[in-house]
Amino acid sequence: MGSDDTDTEGGDQQGRSKMDVPSANATMGQPSKRTAVSKRESNKQTIITTPDGKKLRRKIKPRKKEGENNAMIKYGSLFLLVAQMVGLVLLMRYSRTSAVESEDKQLYLASTAVFLMEAMKFAICLVVIFVQSGSSPSALYDELYEHVWNSPFEVLKLCVPSLLYTVQNNLLYLALTNLDAATYQVCYQLKILTTALFSATLLQRSFSRLKWMSLVILTIGVAIVQLSGSGDKHHHVASEDEASRNRMVGLVAVLCAACTSGFAGVYFERILKGSSTTLWLRNIQMGLPSVIIAYIGVYMKDSMIIAEKGFFVGYTPLVWTVVTVQAVGGLIVAVVVKYADNVLKVFATSFSIIISCIISAVVFDFRPNFLFVCGASLVMASTVMYSRPDTRRRKKPILPMTMSVSKGARKSSLVM
């Protein structure tokens, strides 16, 4: 045993001495394998020594700081998220109320707008897959044949979220017809509550006490906002009975939209687990039944009006802008969320509520009262609380017992 230990130590010492002593090749200008390439950097150029002994000079390219790039991506993502959240809601609200103000204009049909939006999203996804396939029609055909025609059960499973998202989009038009933009932004945060409830039910996901407390605060904040009675100029022009009735219709529409959004999101997440299909192909699989369902909904809901006044009744450049922003904005947000962390989403939600209130006050003569401010503050605070990561308390480790034997006596001691 002792001889083995001494041999090992001696071998280590010899090995270290060989490594410490420079080789003859290194002293003669020929670098060893360990020092094959050495770099000496100056301010503007780098001298690289090759294994052959040649010296090459290369200019150093100015490197961009990673922190600046990350900051640009984060701020760009924040801007796009806020612009989509605020812009779509305000444009949709203005398009639904501007036709009511003038007697000459005809209000466009929400069902046709949803159908056109779904068709536009489907076309955009087809273009993206076409480009990703090398701009080859045959490659695009192969992708669609494999993931759509040869995957009927996958498409059938995605009919559930397709139906729910189509219903949700129709409900959002109904909500923004009866609620002002700021109240809608606050109340629609109930989708956090519905998503958490469906996640706990369907995905067996557990939440901390802080998250449950934030959900309770969120519900209280939305209730205060609804009871505040704040509204824009369209709310104040109507009578009290009509205004309260409109707010009730808008609140029910927002609640149903939040439920459909929460269930569809959790169901979609459950389907995506363990799947290797790309996001754009999933959008194709879900977009095809969405277009069909939306087209059926058009003629089930508004067939009489379409037969009398036409499919594009009430359409203006503003309405086409709303449809485009809703179609393109949803896909942009799906890509941006990939680069946005959870904190950024919370800031985007809070900023969207504040900016919606400010713009609504300027454009729509929105008049928030004290109750609305308190309720909106509670909603934003609950969003921040819900986004905080769970901090689990670590249990104090049980100190292991070690057994030490000394001179035949067996002793136990704690490792401190």
Side-chain angles (χ1 to χ4, degrees), residues 24 46 54 73 100 103 121 131 145 149 171 176 185 194 205 245 253 275 278 301 311 314 320 331 334 350 370 378:
T46 304
K54 295 180 181 180
I73 292 174
V100 178
E103 298 178 357
K121 283 172 61 178
V131 173
Y145 185 82
W149 183 258
L171 289 171
L176 282 168
Q185 284 278 28
T194 58
R205 190 169 291 167
R245 186 170 59 252
S275 176
T278 62
K301 182 182 177 184
F311 190 89
W320 284 107
L331 296 175
S350 302
F370 179 73
L378 287 177

Side-chain angles (χ1 to χ4, degrees), residues 314-367:
Y315 272 73
T316 60
L318 175 63
V319 178
W320 284 107
T321 303
V322 171
V323 173
T324 306
V325 169
Q326 191 176 13
V328 179
L331 296 175
I332 289 176
V333 169
V335 177
V336 166
V337 165
K338 179 180 178 182
Y339 301 98
D341 54 5
N342 203 21
V343 177
L344 198 65
K345 296 176 193 176
V346 173
F347 274 112
T349 303
S350 302
F351 285 159
S352 64
I353 293 174
I354 296 172
I355 294 174
S356 295
C357 293
I358 295 173
I359 298 179
S360 296
V362 175
V363 178
F364 299 107
D365 194 20
F366 176 67
R367 304 170 190 174

Side-chain angles (χ1 to χ4, degrees), residues 160-208:
V160 176
S162 299
L163 174 63
L164 292 174
Y165 283 131
T166 304
V167 173
Q168 173 194 342
N169 289 323
N170 281 279
L171 289 171
L172 295 185
Y173 278 97
L174 178 61
L176 282 168
T177 306
N178 296 279
L179 287 177
D180 59 272
T183 304
Y184 165 83
Q185 284 278 28
V186 175
C187 294
Y188 193 51
Q189 300 309 314
L190 283 174
K191 63 184 178 180
I192 300 174
L193 173 63
T194 58
T195 303
L197 294 176
F198 284 120
S199 297
T201 305
L202 299 179
L203 301 179
Q204 303 298 320
R205 190 169 291 167
S206 59
F207 297 97
S208 62

Side-chain angles (χ1 to χ4, degrees), residues 241-368:
D241 293 337
E242 185 181 355
S244 61
R245 186 170 59 252
N246 291 342
R247 286 183 68 88
M248 185 56 62
V249 172
L251 177 62
V252 172
V254 169
L255 288 175
C256 294
C259 290
T260 54
S261 175
F263 183 80
V266 173
Y267 183 88
F268 193 61
E269 180 183 352
R270 189 172 184 178
I271 291 177
L272 286 179
K273 284 187 176 180
S275 176
S276 58
T277 308
T278 62
L279 177 64
W280 297 106
L281 286 171
R282 281 294 184 191
N283 284 328
I284 289 292
Q285 291 175 342
M286 192 167 60
L288 182 61
S290 295
V291 172
I292 297 173
I293 293 170
Y295 187 76
I296 294 173
V298 168
Y299 285 95
M300 286 182 63
K301 182 182 177 184
D302 300 313
S303 58
M304 299 293 292
I305 301 177
I306 291 174
E308 181 183 353
K309 299 180 179 180
F311 190 89
F312 296 100
V313 59
Y315 272 73
T316 60
L318 175 63
V319 178
W320 284 107
T321 303
V322 171
V323 173
T324 306
V325 169
Q326 191 176 13
V328 179
L331 296 175
I332 289 176
V333 169
V335 177
V336 166
V337 165
K338 179 180 178 182
Y339 301 98
D341 54 5
N342 203 21
V343 177
L344 198 65
K345 296 176 193 176
V346 173
F347 274 112
T349 303
S350 302
F351 285 159
S352 64
I353 293 174
I354 296 172
I355 294 174
S356 295
C357 293
I358 295 173
I359 298 179
S360 296
V362 175
V363 178
F364 299 107
D365 194 20
F366 176 67
R367 304 170 190 174

Side-chain angles (χ1 to χ4, degrees), residues 198-258:
F198 284 120
S199 297
T201 305
L202 299 179
L203 301 179
Q204 303 298 320
R205 190 169 291 167
S206 59
F207 297 97
S208 62
R209 293 180 180 177
L210 179 64
K211 290 188 181 297
W212 286 116
M213 188 183 302
S214 66
L215 294 175
V216 173
I217 295 174
L218 172 67
T219 307
I220 295 173
V222 171
I224 293 175
V225 168
Q226 184 61 25
L227 294 174
S228 65
S230 297
D232 53 16
K233 57 185 177 182
H234 305 285
H235 172 80
H236 295 292
V237 166
S239 61
E240 292 186 2
D241 293 337
E242 185 181 355
S244 61
R245 186 170 59 252
N246 291 342
R247 286 183 68 88
M248 185 56 62
V249 172
L251 177 62
V252 172
V254 169
L255 288 175
C256 294

